[in-house]
Amino acid sequence: MPGKVTVLGSGSWGLALSNLLVTDPSSVSIWPPTSEEKRLLTTSRENPAALPGVRLASDVAICDDLTVRGAPLHVILAVPSHAVRAVASRVSLPPEPPSDSTIICAAKGIETDTLKRMSEVLKDVLPAAWSSRIVILSGPSHAEEVARGIPTAIVVASSNVEAAKAAQALLAHERFRVYVSDDVVGVELGGALKNIIAIAAGITDGLGYGDNTKGALLTRGMVEIARLGVAMGARERTFAGLTGIGDLITTCISRHSRNRYVGQELGKGRTLESILGGMTMVAEGVRTTRAARALAEKYQVSMPITVQVNKILFEGQPPEQAMLELMLRDPKTEDGIPLSHLKEPKSP
Amino acid sequence: MPGKVTVLGSGSWGLALSNLLVTDPSSVSIWPPTSEEKRLLTTSRENPAALPGVRLASDVAICDDLTVRGAPLHVILAVPSHAVRAVASRVSLPPEPPSDSTIICAAKGIETDTLKRMSEVLKDVLPAAWSSRIVILSGPSHAEEVARGIPTAIVVASSNVEAAKAAQALLAHERFRVYVSDDVVGVELGGALKNIIAIAAGITDGLGYGDNTKGALLTRGMVEIARLGVAMGARERTFAGLTGIGDLITTCISRHSRNRYVGQELGKGRTLESILGGMTMVAEGVRTTRAARALAEKYQVSMPITVQVNKILFEGQPPEQAMLELMLRDPKTEDGIPLSHLKEPKSP
């Protein structure tokens, strides 16, 4: 793959993707957002708080210049979602994208103030000609496992299928399988909103509930995410795929998930403040819950799990009471619960 | 709930359901299929190989008479699927079912010789008037957790919605939530075929793969199950519900699942013969894989995971090669993989 890749962000995903993509000394640069991370990577080639035991490949260049050039030119955003606007604003791109260039966003979240998805945030701040090069990267893919070569399958989504295919050609590796989608809204919402259900799953862990509870919770969680997604223009079936239920499963069973961890500690009775105070990395789901709560209201969609997680996080609702309320609502036919209130999927 | 419940089978499900349902000394009887289990239950009220540490409630009667009477009358089949025909044949029912009576089948499997689902097997052997009383019980519900009062949500399905509602009224308890469905084919196939994917998930565990692999495998596994199900007349959406993806998740993450265990040991390199030789309980998925392989052929449906698990179980295919073959097929759009080849759901 000729051309040049710049990875913005040196957390776990930034490091894993840099190592995955590097082929020779000029192919991949990584941009650490803080001087501390830059110092760590320069001296030790590691960011032990983010990805312990993994060294940045020696051919990856460490840069602090955000003027990016190359043909094709690929920029990968691997910073927390709340930093995407600020970081993308600082990148200096050529006004016209060289052919096969892409802006790949690996951040999963909703901007809290604007309720915008990441692709919408990028459109706000990038040169207009780059809008059709925006690609969303999502799917069940803990960075820790990608870095260890664990077989992984993910999705690249773009409204411009040519850009998605360019990202697929860039990213596909033997144990890193890449599918293409044109359902940007569905792929973005699945990736962002699953973190809410991961917090809920963690809460059931903290309360000492079991696998039965988790199976039911994940099933109903994906249903309410799909319900919002369809109201926002996504295709229902996207939520039955890798970026929907697939990512939700991986996140909820993983010891790597910071969102599941936050929920687990809440379930044990700790306060949100004390949990977040002890964490060095970002749990996206906390912010996302607030945003999803607002979106559910805006689109008039029922999201009972999101409502309860929001109450637990921000309104002091005791976790056990909230979880039992979810379990013990009036019995209905199951058709009334999962996907039947949704419209039929739109044609691609 | 007046009437009488007879639970056929004294394995983990039989014991858990008996304890859940018993209200007074005349309400629930349990029928142990072997004289050894009868002896154990009579002397110690326990079946430690099946459900260690759980005592049968003192009000549950132990019976050896299969002439069942009561109004309403409920018979619960909690034996392995390959034993359902033989056990149901021995039950003596009144020729006309008293109103609100049910035959509830908790076994999950496909009859290997006939490729029949459990409801079809029961229709073969029960008095004709009882056909409309057959109810399938399925969903994410490890008996070990139900016995401990872990919050659980399950589904009762019948072509006769009145029978399903009678079963719902019988089974619903505070931490045991029961939904009604009329998609018998979908509910039966989800419950039976998920055991194949559980074996595959266990294989990835045994090979040392991670949560990324499992998220992708479960997603694609449910897609191929749904594909067969729709070809056999099920509704696609049932597979997105508790008895589909919900049960699959619970089974694949559980240390209780015998099917996942079989896969895990295969992944570590043991032979099927040695694994099964060391187990006291039945791993339904081994038989079900063979049956599903035959159904895929009969209905001309692509089931790549089932095909590979069948090869590993019965044709000596090395597990790692099979799993990588699944991961490394030609990249396509994800729409080509999950649900898009399916017909639209039928109306209820």
Side-chain angles (χ1 to χ4, degrees):
Chain A
M1 168 65 48
K4 179 144 175 64
V5 179
T6 304
V7 176
L8 307 179
S10 50
S12 54
W13 236 150
L15 297 175
L17 289 171
S18 297
N19 281 356
L20 183 79
L21 295 179
V22 71
T23 51
D24 62 67
S26 66
S27 65
V28 176
S29 304
I30 190 166
W31 176 80
T34 66
S35 52
E36 171 60 11
E37 285 189 10
K38 189 180 174 199
R39 191 191 60 77
L40 274 171
L41 285 182
T42 309
T43 55
S44 71
R45 310 289 297 178
E46 281 190 45
N47 181 353
L51 199 57
V54 176
R55 287 175 65 82
L56 185 63
S58 58
D59 278 349
V60 175
I62 298 165
C63 68
D64 45 16
D65 183 4
L66 285 177
T67 304
V68 291
R69 294 291 178 271
L73 166 61
H74 302 282
V75 176
I76 300 182
L77 282 139
V79 293
S81 62
H82 61 88
V84 164
R85 183 179 293 271
V87 169
S89 304
R90 293 174 57 189
V91 176
S92 163
L93 293 162
E96 285 301 320
S99 52
D100 293 331
S101 295
T102 60
I103 303 279
I104 300 173
C105 182
K108 293 171 176 177
I110 308 280
E111 202 175 49
T112 319
D113 302 339
T114 63
L115 300 184
K116 286 185 175 176
R117 295 174 282 105
M118 291 300 108
S119 63
E120 296 175 304
V121 170
L122 290 176
K123 277 183 194 162
D124 282 352
V125 299
L126 295 178
W130 282 86
S131 283
S132 66
R133 314 308 307 173
I134 296 169
V135 176
I136 300 298
L137 173 66
S138 192
S141 49
H142 281 296
E144 294 81 351
E145 296 191 354
V146 172
R148 288 193 291 127
I150 298 290
T152 299
I154 56 118
V155 173
V156 286
S158 178
S159 54
N160 169 16
V161 77
E162 292 312 313
K165 284 185 179 167
Q168 181 187 44
L170 175 74
L171 294 164
H173 277 69
E174 202 196 352
R175 293 190 169 211
F176 194 72
R177 186 87 192 274
V178 183
Y179 294 94
V180 163
S181 165
D182 65 352
D183 183 7
V184 177
V185 179
V187 168
E188 286 191 296
L189 289 178
L193 304 187
K194 65 109 191 347
N195 286 328
I196 305 166
I197 311 303
I199 294 176
I203 292 171
T204 68
D205 288 337
L207 289 169
Y209 295 170
D211 302 328
N212 293 357
T213 322
K214 207 174 266 187
L217 180 73
L218 268 60
T219 304
R220 294 207 221 153
M222 192 41 60
V223 168
E224 70 178 60
I225 291 173
R227 202 182 287 139
L228 176 64
V230 170
M232 291 175 69
R235 277 202 297 280
E236 186 186 75
R237 283 178 182 183
T238 299
F239 301 99
L242 291 170
T243 60
I245 194 72
D247 195 4
L248 180 63
I249 292 169
T250 295
T251 304
C252 289
I253 65 181
S254 174
R255 60 188 176 80
H256 303 303
S257 167
R258 304 184 286 270
N259 296 292
R260 202 201 58 74
Y261 172 80
V262 167
Q264 176 185 295
E265 298 304 298
L266 286 166
K268 288 180 182 167
R270 289 179 64 194
T271 64
L272 182 61
E273 207 173 14
S274 103
I275 300 163
L276 296 183
M279 291 174 73
T280 53
M281 293 167 80
V282 174
E284 294 272 16
V286 176
R287 281 191 180 82
T288 306
T289 301
R290 214 190 271 277
R293 181 78 190 74
L295 285 171
E297 196 132 314
K298 180 174 172 186
Y299 288 92
Q300 290 287 300
V301 162
S302 161
M303 299 187 76
I305 298 172
T306 302
V307 166
Q308 294 296 340
V309 173
N310 195 66
K311 282 187 184 171
I312 295 168
L313 286 173
F314 305 117
E315 299 171 19
Q317 168 93 321
E320 178 140 36
Q321 187 188 325
M323 287 297 131
L324 287 177
E325 262 181 43
L326 283 172
M327 286 296 296
L328 305 177
R329 288 172 306 155
D330 289 339
K332 307 172 196 173
T333 61
E334 205 211 350
D335 273 354
I337 300 294
L339 297 168
S340 69
H341 286 314
L342 301 176
K343 298 167 214 150
E344 289 305 308
K346 293 190 307 183
S347 300
Chain B
M1 168 66 47
K4 179 143 175 62
V5 179
T6 303
V7 176
L8 308 179
S10 51
S12 55
W13 237 150
L15 297 175
L17 289 171
S18 297
N19 281 357
L20 183 80
L21 295 178
V22 71
T23 53
D24 63 66
S26 67
S27 65
V28 176
S29 303
I30 190 166
W31 176 81
T34 67
S35 52
E36 172 60 12
E37 285 189 8
K38 190 181 175 198
R39 191 190 62 77
L40 274 171
L41 285 182
T42 309
T43 55
S44 71
R45 311 288 298 176
E46 280 191 46
N47 181 353
L51 200 58
V54 176
R55 287 176 65 82
L56 185 64
S58 58
D59 277 350
V60 175
I62 298 165
C63 69
D64 45 17
D65 183 5
L66 285 177
T67 305
V68 292
R69 294 291 178 268
L73 165 62
H74 301 283
V75 176
I76 300 181
L77 282 138
V79 292
S81 63
H82 62 88
V84 163
R85 183 180 293 271
V87 170
S89 305
R90 291 173 56 189
V91 176
S92 162
L93 293 162
E96 286 300 320
S99 52
D100 293 332
S101 295
T102 60
I103 303 279
I104 301 172
C105 182
K108 294 171 176 175
I110 307 280
E111 202 175 49
T112 319
D113 301 340
T114 63
L115 300 183
K116 286 185 176 177
R117 294 173 282 106
M118 291 299 108
S119 63
E120 296 176 303
V121 170
L122 290 176
K123 277 183 194 162
D124 281 352
V125 297
L126 295 178
W130 282 86
S131 283
S132 66
R133 314 308 307 174
I134 296 170
V135 176
I136 300 298
L137 173 66
S138 192
S141 49
H142 282 296
E144 294 81 350
E145 296 192 354
V146 172
R148 288 194 291 128
I150 298 290
T152 299
I154 55 117
V155 173
V156 286
S158 178
S159 53
N160 169 17
V161 77
E162 292 312 312
K165 284 185 178 166
Q168 181 188 43
L170 175 74
L171 294 164
H173 277 68
E174 201 197 352
R175 293 190 168 212
F176 194 73
R177 187 88 193 275
V178 182
Y179 293 93
V180 163
S181 165
D182 65 352
D183 184 6
V184 176
V185 178
V187 168
E188 287 191 296
L189 289 178
L193 303 187
K194 65 107 191 347
N195 286 328
I196 304 165
I197 311 303
I199 294 175
I203 292 170
T204 68
D205 287 338
L207 289 169
Y209 295 170
D211 302 329
N212 293 358
T213 322
K214 207 175 265 186
L217 180 74
L218 269 60
T219 304
R220 294 206 222 155
M222 192 42 60
V223 168
E224 71 176 60
I225 291 174
R227 202 181 288 140
L228 176 65
V230 170
M232 292 175 69
R235 277 202 297 280
E236 186 187 75
R237 284 179 182 184
T238 299
F239 300 99
L242 291 170
T243 59
I245 194 73
D247 195 2
L248 180 63
I249 292 168
T250 294
T251 304
C252 289
I253 66 181
S254 175
R255 62 187 173 81
H256 302 304
S257 167
R258 304 184 286 270
N259 296 292
R260 201 201 59 74
Y261 173 79
V262 167
Q264 177 185 294
E265 298 304 298
L266 286 166
K268 288 180 183 168
R270 289 179 63 195
T271 65
L272 182 62
E273 207 173 15
S274 104
I275 300 163
L276 297 182
M279 291 174 73
T280 53
M281 293 167 79
V282 174
E284 293 271 16
V286 176
R287 281 191 179 81
T288 306
T289 302
R290 213 190 272 277
R293 181 78 190 75
L295 286 170
E297 196 133 314
K298 180 174 172 186
Y299 288 92
Q300 290 287 298
V301 163
S302 161
M303 299 187 78
I305 299 172
T306 301
V307 166
Q308 294 296 339
V309 173
N310 194 66
K311 281 186 185 171
I312 295 167
L313 287 172
F314 306 117
E315 298 171 20
Q317 168 93 323
E320 178 140 37
Q321 187 187 327
M323 286 297 130
L324 287 177
E325 261 181 44
L326 283 172
M327 287 295 296
L328 305 177
R329 288 172 306 156
D330 287 340
K332 306 172 196 174
T333 62
E334 204 209 351
D335 273 355
I337 299 296
L339 297 168
S340 69
H341 286 314
L342 301 176
K343 296 169 214 151
E344 290 303 308
K346 292 191 308 182
S347 300

